[in-house]
Structure formats: structure tokens, C-alpha cells
Amino acid sequence: GLIGYTEHGGTLKDVWVKNTPINSADWYVGGVLGRGVMTLSNVHNVGSNVSGHQYTGGLVGEQHRNITGSGATGSVTGTYHTGGLVGNLGDYTVANSFATGNVEALASRHGNGSYVGGLIGKTGSATLTDSYATGNVKGPWDSVGGLIGQSDGGLTLTRVSASGNVNGNRNIGGLVGYAVWGATINNSSYSGSTPRTIDYNGGKADGIAGGLVGYAGQSVNINSSWVGPVTIQSHYQAAGLIGYTQDRAYVNDSYVSNASITGGEGTAGLVGMAKGGTWISRSYAGGSSGTAVTGGNFVGGLAGEMVGAGYIVDSYFAGAVTGSSSYGGLVGLLMPGAYLSNSYYNINASLINGQARLTMGGLYSGQYTAWQASHATLASRSLTITNYFSAADGDSYYSIASNNNV
């Protein structure tokens, strides 16, 4: 680019590179800066395609300071640590920045095509705010994300988005492919004006895909975020928000709409598998066309399995579920310590294996419609028990007054 290497801090400000393609077989290749140890502010690459080896980015190949108000619009091709804006970012922040070009990593003798992101290929403990990526992202191997391929430290995302198609082999996410130390995601999305695709390219048996996060080594906390319309396909775990986490999954006030989700063991509308427990509040998987969830074992409209602890509260599923075993309208497998509360699906409308089946959280159409109409806010919805039962007797037991709509 314009500068090969900087060190000792300082600020690079108000710099623009326009329509100047960069093609190199070296490491640390960027549209403006190869390797930076200085703050970037209002730095832009406009229409310059970038091709490099390892550590390749539309703006900077490797960056070790904060980035604000900057962007890149050219396509990016690399082999390892490849990003639309930054190939590799240390423990820093990115704010009010963007990348719009397509990003692709190619396998090579020196790099296997991992760490590929629409904005950042790989990062440490990072904070991203008010930033986005719109390009398609493709990698032949591990950690491929619409925004970030892999984060190696604590990650906080606030008001960020990605809207390009994502194709990878293992650990694939609409926002983050692999969050090693977990992530907190607030008011963020993976969506587009037409259905997006998160697709597993078939080379690895344990491919995992998620609408926001593919795989996480620690807890994931998602608040007021959404995904859809989208098609998500994987050989292993697949889910609308989180494919798999080794720790806990927290989902609040979030949703997946008009999605088609296909996976293997642990497939769900919101959270595939969370080994430390799953907590879902005031959230749903559905949409005007519904959400279709298809998998093998542990398949649920909202959660594939719930083990150890957790709950689903004030939430619902609308769509269809198809599974071979341990399947349900809300959750595929619910273990002791976890519970459901004020969360339902419509037995008659949301079919399971093509039939109207009663599983945990199922209500027939009359009850479900009454619950849905009781209040516009999920947490305030309720059913009136006296509509279906007579008054309690002296021992506080109820007798069934009518079997209509039960």
C-alpha cells in the first residue's frame, strides 16, 4: 500500500488511497498500510483490490493500535489472517469503520486458509462498535465469519452488522466464526435485503455454523440482536444464533426470522448446544414465513439441548422441526436443572416431522392464539386457567371443564 511498516505509536489521519491495486506474495499486505503500530483515523482504501499472502487486509495487514472512522471498499485475497479491513488485529478497538469488498482465503503451502473475516481476519481482546461488513466471505478451512474470523480474547460487539454470504469448512458464523474466549454481542445483526447464506463446504466432519457465532470456547451473551432471512447449513451443530459453546449461552430480546437451518447433532432455531447451560429470555425463532430446523439428534425450535442449568422464558417458536431423535418444538433434550416458563409453540401450525406433535411447550391453536393475543409484549403474555378448567376444589386441584382446544 502506501506505507509498508510503522512503529513507536503516533496517528495516521485523513489518508485516502484510490483505485490502486496491491498484489504481493509477501506477508503483511494492506491497501494503505502493511503493518501498523499507530492509531488510524479517517483512513480509507477506495476501490483498491488487495492480494497478499499471510496477514492481508483491505486497509492494513496487521494492526496494533485503535482504528476509528476508516474503511475499505476493495476485494481482498490472502491465505491466512485475511480481512476486509484488517488481516490481524491485536487487543484494540475498531469504531465507525467498514469494509464492503468480498474476502477470500486460499489454501497454500504456508497457510491453510484459516482466520477469514469480512472486517477482521483474527483479533485478540477487541471491542467493535458501529462498524459493518457487507462483502461475501469464503475460506477453505477454519474460523470464517461475516465480520470476524476468530477472536482470541474477550470480544465485545455493539451495533455491528454483516450481510455477506459466508462459506467455510469449520467454525462458521454470520458475525464470528470462532470466539475462543466467548463474546458479548449487543444490538447487532446478520441480515440482508435478500436471504443470506452461511454454508459449510463439506471438508471437515465437525463443521459448526451459527447465525451470529459459530463456535465459542467460553460464554456467549447476546442482547437485542437478530438474524435473518438466512439459510444456514452445516454437517454438525447449526443454529440461528449460536452453533456451539463449551460454556454458557445467554440470549435476551433477540430473534431469528425466516430461516432455514440444517445441521446434524445439536441443531436449533437459536442455540444448538451450550455445555454450561442455556438461558433464553424474551426471544423467538419464527418470522412471516417461519423458521425451518432440520437435524439429526437433539433438534429443537429454540435449543438443541439444555444440560446442567438454564431456562427458556417468555419465548416462542414458529416454523417446522425435523429430527431423527430427541426433538421438540422448543427444545430437543431438556435435562434436570433446566426449565421452560411461559414459552410455547403452536402444535397445529408448527409441525414436527411433518405432523402435529405435542412436546414440551406445545399449545393447540386455540390456546396458542389466546396466549399470543393476550399482550403484545412477550413477557406480559399469559393464559387464563379458568378458561379451560373449573374452579379449584377444597384441595386446590382443578377439574377439566371442557376438552375444547386442549
Side-chain angles (χ1 to χ4, degrees), residues 269-342:
L270 298 182
V271 180
M273 287 186 169
K275 290 304 182 180
T278 301
W279 286 259
I280 297 173
S281 298
R282 302 175 304 278
S283 301
Y284 69 87
S288 59
S289 300
T291 287
V293 180
T294 302
N297 302 329
F298 312 127
V299 182
L302 298 183
E305 68 168 17
M306 297 180 66
V307 296
Y311 56 67
I312 298 177
V313 175
D314 303 326
S315 301
Y316 71 88
F317 172 73
V321 172
T322 302
S324 59
S325 65
S326 297
Y327 48 78
L330 294 185
V331 58
L333 175 67
L334 184 75
M335 297 292 287
Y339 66 91
L340 310 180
S341 176
N342 196 39

Side-chain angles (χ1 to χ4, degrees), residues 24-380:
S24 173
D26 292 330
W27 293 20
Y28 308 113
V29 179
V32 175
L33 177 62
R35 188 171 187 266
V37 189
M38 62 193 310
T39 298
L40 303 184
S41 177
N42 192 34
V43 177
H44 296 268
N45 168 12
V46 180
S48 305
N49 296 334
V50 178
S51 178
H53 192 15
Q54 297 194 39
Y55 305 99
T56 304
L59 193 71
V60 54
E62 182 172 81
Q63 173 69 2
H64 292 280
R65 290 294 186 272
N66 297 335
I67 300 174
T68 60
S70 300
T73 63
S75 64
V76 180
T77 303
T79 63
Y80 204 57
H81 300 84
T82 307
L85 191 74
V86 183
N88 186 59
L89 177 72
D91 301 338
Y92 297 99
T93 66
V94 175
N96 299 294
S97 297
F98 64 89
T100 62
N102 294 333
V103 180
E104 183 174 5
L106 306 173
S108 77
R109 181 169 59 89
H110 300 291
N112 62 16
S114 295
Y115 316 135
V116 191
L119 195 73
I120 301 169
K122 188 178 182 182
T123 184
S125 296
T127 298
L128 275 65
T129 58
D130 301 304
S131 299
Y132 65 89
T134 61
N136 298 326
V137 183
K138 184 176 182 180
W141 201 243
D142 199 356
S143 301
V144 182
L147 196 75
I148 298 171
Q150 179 168 313
S151 60
D152 280 349
L155 179 66
T156 300
L157 305 178
T158 302
R159 296 183 301 278
V160 303
S161 66
S163 58
N165 298 322
V166 182
N167 180 276
N169 194 325
R170 182 185 186 194
N171 304 333
I172 316 154
L175 290 185
V176 185
Y178 183 10
V180 176
W181 288 97
T184 297
I185 301 174
N186 306 308
N187 300 101
S188 298
S189 66
Y190 175 74
S191 63
S193 57
T194 58
R196 305 290 85 192
T197 299
I198 300 172
D199 191 24
Y200 163 69
N201 65 29
K204 192 72 174 164
D206 58 349
I208 297 172
L212 293 183
V213 178
Y215 184 99
Q218 298 292 330
S219 295
V220 178
N221 193 325
I222 295 175
N223 305 291
S224 303
S225 298
W226 66 96
V227 170
V230 65
T231 296
I232 300 173
Q233 301 180 80
S234 177
H235 178 79
Y236 209 29
Q237 282 91 30
L241 296 181
I242 304 167
Y244 179 95
T245 174
Q246 292 181 357
D247 203 342
R248 301 182 176 193
Y250 300 93
V251 176
N252 304 295
D253 304 296
S254 300
Y255 66 86
V256 172
S257 65
N258 303 319
S260 173
I261 302 167
T262 303
E265 179 181 281
T267 301
L270 298 182
V271 180
M273 287 186 169
K275 290 304 182 180
T278 301
W279 286 259
I280 297 173
S281 298
R282 302 175 304 278
S283 301
Y284 69 87
S288 59
S289 300
T291 287
V293 180
T294 302
N297 302 329
F298 312 127
V299 182
L302 298 183
E305 68 168 17
M306 297 180 66
V307 296
Y311 56 67
I312 298 177
V313 175
D314 303 326
S315 301
Y316 71 88
F317 172 73
V321 172
T322 302
S324 59
S325 65
S326 297
Y327 48 78
L330 294 185
V331 58
L333 175 67
L334 184 75
M335 297 292 287
Y339 66 91
L340 310 180
S341 176
N342 196 39
S343 299
Y344 304 106
Y345 72 96
N346 187 332
I347 296 169
N348 302 98
S350 295
L351 302 183
I352 299 176
N353 288 341
Q355 298 180 347
R357 293 175 181 261
L358 174 61
T359 64
M360 287 180 292
L363 293 177
Y364 287 97
S365 289
Q367 289 175 302
Y368 186 86
T369 300
W371 175 74
Q372 196 173 43
S374 65
H375 204 281
T377 303
L378 274 172
S380 299

